[in-house]
Amino acid sequence: MNITRLSRRALVCAVAAGAVLAARPAGATVSVCIDSSNPAHAMDRRVVQAVARQQGTDAAIYTFDGSGAGDDDGFDVKKFGTLAASRCALVLGFPVDATHGAVPEGMRATAPYARMGFVLVTPRSHDAETLAALPHGTDVAVTYLTAPNLYFVKHPNVQADIYPTDAQTIASVVHHTDRAAMVWRASAVAYLPGGEKARDYCIHALNEPHAAWDVVALYGPHGAAAAASFQKSVEALRRSGQLAALLSPYAMSPANPVVLAAAEAPAAAPAAAPAAPAAGGEKPALFTAAQADAGKKAYADNCAQCHGDNLEGMAGPALKGKNFASPKANFHVGDVFTIVSQNMPATQPASLPHDVYVNIMAFLLQQNGMPAGSAELTFDGAKASTVPLVYSGE
Ligand code: HEC
């Protein structure tokens, strides 16, 4: 997967940048787009300048404010590909999930240069390193439509207080409205009074699904050469130890491309994988073909706008394939159904009738290689199911 809300902003920005760049003649320098509304934009700027020094050239940095782009849901990813490909060599600051990395269709990404992610922020007086360590009934501030919204299901000791922006999420802790907050690390650094040295607050990386992200530069077909030299320079900066300093305090550390590559290779995840049945037929049949058919239509009406017509992922993560239901994700049917029925559609959680959720779940199971049978899936049955959801397609 997976494009967080932040990534969607990056997409919108890149289009804005394309429009800006259209007026500029192409030069020998590397043109780079940076979104000034990204809380880590200063870091991206430093990286680009260091890369240019390394190459003995100049960097042409085009800054744009991607925050006010408005209607996220109507955004067309393909258009982004076309524009960025023809007008901007590299778009910096694009986050990809560290375990399920995916970039917008038609785009390519450099090797990651920074490790970012979601953190837990608490006042020092009530420091807790993990969600589980927070006292029962703690209100935790979280930003609308960001990955940490998923964590409340697994941690019933805490409850969500949802804010529209990271700045407001942080402010709720500063003003003691909430005891803790979950935000993008760069936002904690940017919005806490005193930044990461804020003496009155603690910032801990969240050890939860989809919490660790890597930052890459995106490019289109015409950016391949610029991307290759960017990557080479970043590698040199990494080896000389300068990269970590450029990334501080926004990033947790430089991303480790070796680790990322290993995480993507199925062969590198040996012991953790539960014994997946060799043939699809050994999996239990949890739903009927009629339910999956009805679910296909309901999915198209309620989910496809964010998760893609073919479940490939867009504004929301992919819902099909190894990146979604990988053995490492350790998903069970009940976990996924709880997310679907309580948190989705993301803009109107829990708004659909029970049988529609059940049909959509049947469709998701079918698409991930589970067999149909004669017994119908029920709402309570889906919720309680501990059957592992592991993709078994090609
Ligand atoms: C408005 C956009 C939007 C719509 C519509 C939407 N989703 Fe989502 N969905 C998201 C986003 C964004 C996430 C990532 C989690 C987050 O940011 O809260 C997500 C996460 C998920 C996840 C968790 C995936 C994972 O790998 O952890 C599932 C499952 C899911 N959605 C299913 C659905 C289904 C089924 C529907 C239709 C009933 C739906 N979604 C409708 C945006 C949407």
Side-chain angles (χ1 to χ4, degrees), residues 154-340:
K154 210 175 94 195
H155 296 283
N157 57 314
V158 294
Q159 58 212 30
D161 217 349
I162 302 176
Y163 295 87
T165 66
D166 277 2
Q168 285 161 287
T169 302
I170 288 289
S172 78
V173 172
V174 173
H175 299 132
H176 310 292
T177 315
D178 295 307
R179 273 275 199 92
M182 294 190 281
V183 290
W184 191 242
R185 180 184 160 96
S187 298
V189 173
Y191 304 129
L192 275 176
E196 67 136 17
K197 299 214 172 60
R199 277 208 315 269
D200 302 338
Y201 304 91
C202 296
I203 303 175
H204 296 289
L206 278 160
N207 185 16
E208 299 284 342
H210 310 312
W213 292 69
D214 284 322
V215 179
V216 300
L218 289 184
Y219 61 98
H222 306 299
S229 49
F230 175 83
Q231 211 161 289
K232 219 187 259 169
S233 300
V234 166
E235 211 27 65
L237 293 167
R238 186 197 311 275
R239 276 196 306 269
S240 71
Q242 292 172 70
L243 186 61
L246 296 167
L247 303 179
S248 172
Y250 297 98
M252 292 161 183
S253 61
N256 185 343
V258 179
V259 171
L260 182 78
E264 277 172 349
E282 291 172 33
K283 297 187 167 195
L286 301 175
F287 57 91
T288 65
Q291 286 182 307
D293 280 350
K296 181 175 183 174
K297 165 116 193 15
Y299 173 88
D301 292 342
N302 298 292
C303 320
Q305 66 188 98
C306 294
H307 292 283
D309 289 342
N310 300 308
L311 304 94
E312 73 276 24
M314 282 171 56
L319 298 180
K320 173 183 180 175
K322 296 197 193 84
N323 287 341
F324 168 62
S326 77
K328 269 179 297 163
N330 195 17
F331 270 152
H332 299 94
V333 171
D335 305 333
V336 176
F337 189 67
T338 302
I339 295 174
V340 169

